Amino acid sequence: MMKSPAFPLLDGLFDLACRDGVDIRPTLLRVLTDLYVRKPAHSADEEDQYVELALGLIDAADAPTRAAVAASLSHYPAAPEAILRKLGTNASTAFMTEADTGTLIDEFFAAGAEERRLILGNLDLTPQAPERRPAPSSEVARRLETAALQHNTGEFSRTLDRALGIGQALAERIARDESGEPIVVAAKALGMNAAVLQRILMFLNPAIGQSVERVHDLARFFDELSPLAAERMVAIWRKTGMAAKRQHEPAHYDDEHRGARHTPTQRRALQDRNAIPGRFKANEG
């Protein structure tokens, strides 16, 4: 890999990246982009070198790294179009493997509030729209609010899973999250009323509801979050949820269900058998 006269602080990292068994290209991409966005303007040589280096690193970067880099560049006025296009294509949820989505979810839940919002902001940059689901009824919001008012986290997570198809484990993770951004994402994807969301935030999780400032901050975030970003994050959740369900499905699930179905001839035989008087059944065998 070439050295970087425009970014001399990276020379040691470039040397390390060339060693066998050590792949720090995702880290290198993050550091390179961080150094790039720190300067308000760049010379033509610096711009060309950043584009050349970053384009060579993006393909080796995982989904969370691409999301973080795209989020950083989204706030930079003169971000190179070639990099944004490359990141947009590769960050699309349609191209994420199950490992990618699982890693992105873990990083999202492990991140602080600001980093979570950067990840969500980056999802607006991806070109491909997620698969749209039918709009949930107002009954879903009512059930979620009722569960929250009763401090019933279990019922809240079960209702959320049924509404979004994200899996029970992830729905519980969202309901119990002490920061609140995942609930805001779910509420936006469900088309929930802002007042209903605020009541849910106040009552579902004491870690959130006991802070008026936190509830107000999340309410503002709800107003700022685009429906498209929320739908894309839910699509990622759903992809991981479906993978988890497949892993826990019994090995002979389909055989059992096929065995439970009968042909018309079998059904008639069963009906005839049930019509035999009890005394004749007792003499069978």
Side-chain angles (χ1 to χ4, degrees):
M1 185 175 289
M2 64 178 292
K3 293 294 185 71
S4 172
F7 303 96
L9 294 176
L10 297 181
D11 285 349
L13 289 175
F14 279 113
D15 289 336
L16 183 60
C18 294
R19 296 180 187 174
D20 292 338
V22 179
D23 187 0
I24 64 162
R25 288 174 293 177
T27 301
L28 190 56
L29 178 60
R30 288 187 187 233
V31 175
L32 177 66
T33 301
D34 184 56
L35 292 173
Y36 175 81
V37 299
R38 286 182 186 181
K39 291 184 64 174
H42 295 275
S43 68
D45 288 342
E46 291 174 337
E47 187 80 10
D48 291 343
Q49 189 158 42
Y50 171 72
V51 170
E52 180 181 356
L53 291 172
L55 286 175
L57 294 168
I58 288 173
D59 286 334
D62 53 17
T65 296
R66 295 194 300 266
V69 169
S72 296
L73 291 175
S74 68
H75 297 279
Y76 193 76
E81 285 295 326
I83 302 299
L84 293 179
R85 285 196 300 271
K86 181 80 169 179
L87 287 167
T89 298
N90 283 278
S92 172
T93 60
F95 294 95
M96 287 186 182
T97 65
E98 290 176 1
D100 284 336
T101 57
T103 301
L104 180 56
I105 289 173
D106 287 340
E107 291 212 356
F108 176 78
F109 278 92
E114 183 176 352
E115 291 174 310
R116 287 176 170 187
R117 297 178 192 198
L118 285 174
I119 291 172
L120 288 164
N122 172 64
L123 293 179
D124 270 338
L125 301 177
T126 59
Q128 184 165 343
E131 180 182 352
R132 300 299 298 269
R133 289 166 58 89
S137 67
S138 58
E139 179 66 14
V140 171
R142 188 194 66 78
R143 290 181 179 178
L144 289 170
E145 181 181 2
T146 299
L149 293 175
Q150 296 173 349
H151 308 288
N152 191 338
T153 306
E155 180 60 25
F156 184 93
S157 62
R158 285 189 290 273
T159 303
L160 196 62
D161 175 25
R162 288 193 293 268
L164 296 178
I166 57 177
Q168 181 65 21
L170 186 52
E172 289 180 1
R173 194 174 185 181
I174 293 168
R176 298 181 187 281
D177 184 85
E178 296 187 352
S179 184
E181 287 82 13
I183 295 177
V184 172
V185 172
K188 179 68 76 167
L190 290 169
M192 189 179 291
N193 181 279
V196 172
L197 171 63
Q198 290 186 41
R199 289 192 291 272
I200 288 174
L201 292 171
M202 287 189 291
F203 288 94
L204 180 65
N205 193 326
I208 299 171
Q210 291 174 359
S211 172
V212 175
E213 181 180 354
R214 182 67 184 148
V215 172
H216 286 171
D217 178 60
L218 289 169
R220 287 192 296 271
F221 174 50
F222 177 76
D223 291 336
E224 297 167 358
L225 179 64
S226 76
L228 185 57
E231 289 170 3
R232 282 174 170 154
M233 179 55 78
V234 169
I236 294 170
W237 290 346
R238 191 176 302 122
K239 189 172 185 178
T240 301
M242 289 189 294
K245 287 180 180 178
R246 286 198 301 271
Q247 290 174 358
H248 291 90
E249 189 174 86
H252 302 291
Y253 177 83
D254 288 337
D255 291 339
E256 291 172 358
H257 278 258
R258 280 195 295 267
R261 292 190 293 266
H262 300 286
T263 66
T265 301
Q266 290 171 323
R267 283 198 297 270
R268 283 194 299 271
L270 287 171
Q271 290 169 357
D272 292 340
R273 178 182 176 85
N274 291 334
I276 298 174
R279 64 179 183 274
F280 289 107
K281 287 185 180 179
N283 294 327
E284 287 181 355

